[in-house]
Amino acid sequence: MTQHVLDDLVARGLIGQSTDLDALRADLSEGSLTYYTGFDPTAPSLHIGHLLQLLTMRRLQLAGHRPLLLVGGATGLIGDPKQSGERSMNTKDTVAGWVESIANQASPFLDVEGPNGAQLVNNLDWTRDVNVIDFLRDIGKHFPVNRMLARDVVASRLESGISYTEFSYVLLQSMDYLELSRRYDCRLQMGGGDQWGNVSAGVELVRRADGRRVNGLVTPLITKADGTKFGKTEGGAVWLDATLTSPYAFYQFWIQAEDAKVAEYLRLLTFLDVDEIAAIEAEHQTKPGLRAAQRRLAREVTTLVHGHAEADAAELASSALFGRGELRELPETTLAAALTEAGAGEVPKGTSLVDALVASGLVDSKSAGRRAVVEGGAYVNNERAEDPELALDATAALHGRWVVLRKGKRSVSGVQLV
């Protein structure tokens, strides 16, 4: 017997908050149900927090339900309020460009063919011509101000200040649900855990305006083991766009997943069966040093976002940089991304090995560099180095300009010859 999609979501820990789950189960069991998730264009790319939503949409589509992928051409011009303060407004042209790039980025995660093919919608289409009087009468009338003030993010901003623009964001997003309910018989909105206030407000607006029961569901926020937000590096967000976060850097991000959380991430962010994930988790608990669970996570998620070829290259690079694979087999784009991520520096052609070790950040002085070479702990392109004054030129470089340097077994960096 096929597992109900709601049971799969529960087993994976994908339900954070929801309206009546029994009612949602009944609606999902009746046949193909139309549902939506919205993505505001507040940056040129989606990040891994959005990935969780895209994959959750995909799970429902694979179960026979019909997704509407909403890109917020209107709401993106306003910006959902955040606790840290007022957002900077982007120009209309900038937002329009981001709408297009995010739509192109999100669409491949869903099938567009068939009776439950995904449809892309833009809330600017039904918002741009709404006049202020109609908006206040038809939408604003249904929003008690005391409830709007009680929202956590609004309450936290009352002392520091919140503009009416951001204060009214919830009305615009709620209007999306009402419009999609009327146009497409949409009966479920999904989103991230931080969207529960907006999602539940949309459910309430549909009930007040049309007397119709619809559903809302949000996933939990992905966190680290200490409860802090997951998805940031020292360099900022982990983007889905390969030009902002390279496939190699993306792969390495998942390789670094904490032991305590890796099984959770496998359940949330891959399509592996939960029983298979349980077996991976059991093996990992027995031999955590092998990091087999992290490698499987990195492989699966990188393949979902960047495809098999980039996942293969990232996996090969990860092994080759540490002496477990052939460096010369790496494409230059992958090698460059890997060394850039490792903090590679630039040096002139002919630079000595000891100077290159300093430039790469592997040692903090020439004397430390010489000591590493003399003690047999310095490697050039995975070959043990013997001469601290070895001149690095094009003959020693990969693709004519890259040199991989390693100190010991675990510290890797490199230089680019210029």
Side-chain angles (χ1 to χ4, degrees):
M1 182 178 178
T2 304
Q3 184 183 39
H4 195 284
V5 65
L6 210 54
D7 293 329
D8 182 56
L9 297 185
V10 170
R12 292 179 181 276
L14 277 166
I15 299 179
Q17 290 179 274
S18 71
T19 51
D20 189 335
L21 275 182
D22 290 335
L24 176 57
R25 179 183 294 273
D27 288 346
L28 290 167
S29 300
E30 287 178 359
S32 183
L33 177 140
T34 299
Y35 61 98
Y36 92 98
T37 302
F39 300 88
D40 273 353
T42 55
S45 171
L46 300 174
H47 53 67
I48 61 173
H50 298 117
L51 178 62
L52 178 62
Q53 303 313 313
L54 290 169
L55 298 181
T56 306
M57 292 184 78
R58 177 66 176 157
R59 295 184 202 282
L60 264 73
Q61 187 179 37
L62 290 172
H65 305 289
R66 183 190 178 212
L68 301 173
L69 197 159
L70 183 145
V71 181
T75 43
L77 291 169
I78 303 302
D80 195 9
K82 54 183 182 179
Q83 291 189 342
S84 58
E86 197 81 7
R87 291 180 183 270
S88 298
M89 280 200 174
N90 298 298
T91 68
K92 291 183 178 180
D93 287 344
T94 296
V95 172
W98 290 351
V99 165
E100 184 175 357
S101 63
I102 287 174
N104 291 336
Q105 193 174 64
S107 296
F109 287 90
L110 302 168
D111 290 332
V112 296
E113 305 294 336
N116 69 327
Q119 183 167 344
L120 179 71
V121 293
N122 182 343
N123 58 19
L124 189 61
D125 292 342
W126 56 80
T127 306
R128 61 159 59 94
D129 295 327
V130 174
N131 66 56
V132 175
I133 298 299
D134 288 342
F135 180 72
L136 293 175
R137 286 175 60 87
D138 299 339
I139 304 300
K141 183 69 174 175
H142 298 293
F143 283 82
V145 171
N146 60 322
R147 290 185 60 182
M148 294 175 68
L149 289 170
R151 297 179 66 213
D152 289 343
V153 68
V154 172
S156 69
R157 291 269 303 277
L158 287 178
E159 286 193 17
S160 61
I162 182 171
S163 68
Y164 181 76
T165 300
E166 289 194 0
F167 180 65
S168 62
Y169 176 92
V170 64
L171 278 71
L172 286 179
Q173 182 168 323
S174 299
M175 187 171 72
D176 290 342
Y177 203 171
L178 181 62
E179 194 68 29
L180 295 177
S181 171
R182 291 171 174 175
R183 291 189 180 204
Y184 301 103
D185 189 28
C186 180
R187 289 183 286 159
L188 170 64
Q189 180 186 179
M190 299 192 301
D194 57 352
Q195 289 295 305
W196 177 244
N198 292 325
V199 171
S200 58
V203 169
E204 180 67 6
L205 175 61
V206 176
R207 184 191 70 79
R208 285 173 174 256
D210 288 355
R212 189 178 191 210
R213 181 190 62 78
V214 291
N215 306 282
L217 183 154
V218 296
T219 60
L221 291 176
I222 308 178
T223 63
K224 298 179 184 178
D226 62 4
T228 57
K229 192 171 183 179
F230 176 79
K232 298 279 188 179
T233 67
E234 291 182 2
V238 180
W239 303 103
L240 305 190
D241 187 329
T243 64
L244 298 176
T245 299
S246 72
Y248 174 80
F250 189 83
Y251 179 91
Q252 286 298 313
F253 176 80
W254 299 105
I255 284 287
Q256 301 304 318
E258 298 167 293
D259 289 337
K261 300 290 283 187
V262 63
E264 177 186 329
Y265 301 156
L266 281 165
R267 287 189 289 270
L268 296 176
L269 295 163
T270 78
F271 288 93
L272 297 176
D273 184 88
V274 289
D275 290 336
E276 183 178 358
I277 294 171
I280 293 171
E281 182 177 18
E283 179 187 0
H284 176 71
Q285 290 174 347
T286 303
K287 301 176 181 178
L290 296 178
R291 299 188 73 77
Q294 282 90 343
R295 290 202 304 274
R296 186 62 182 275
L297 173 68
R299 172 79 198 185
E300 293 290 330
V301 181
T302 304
T303 299
L304 284 170
V305 175
H306 296 295
H308 287 285
E310 291 289 3
D312 287 343
E315 199 168 47
L316 179 61
S318 186
S319 296
L321 288 180
F322 292 92
R324 298 188 300 272
E326 180 50 63
L327 286 169
R328 295 188 184 278
E329 294 179 4
L330 294 180
E332 183 175 7
T333 53
T334 304
L335 179 63
L339 290 183
T340 300
E341 184 71 11
E346 291 185 350
V347 298
K349 292 179 181 178
T351 295
S352 69
L353 171 58
V354 70
D355 285 332
L357 286 168
V358 174
S360 70
L362 288 175
V363 298
D364 55 13
S365 67
K366 289 186 177 183
S367 60
R370 289 192 183 93
R371 188 164 55 251
V373 175
V374 170
E375 293 176 353
Y379 296 80
V380 176
N381 296 336
N382 286 338
E383 298 289 337
R384 180 176 277 116
E386 298 178 351
D387 180 6
E389 301 305 322
L390 172 70
L392 302 180
D393 55 25
T395 60
L398 302 166
H399 301 288
R401 58 182 178 142
W402 297 99
V403 180
V404 176
L405 302 173
R406 179 158 51 91
K407 179 189 172 190
K409 292 182 178 181
R410 296 184 179 275
S411 299
V412 174
S413 188
V415 291
Q416 180 182 3
L417 304 182
V418 296

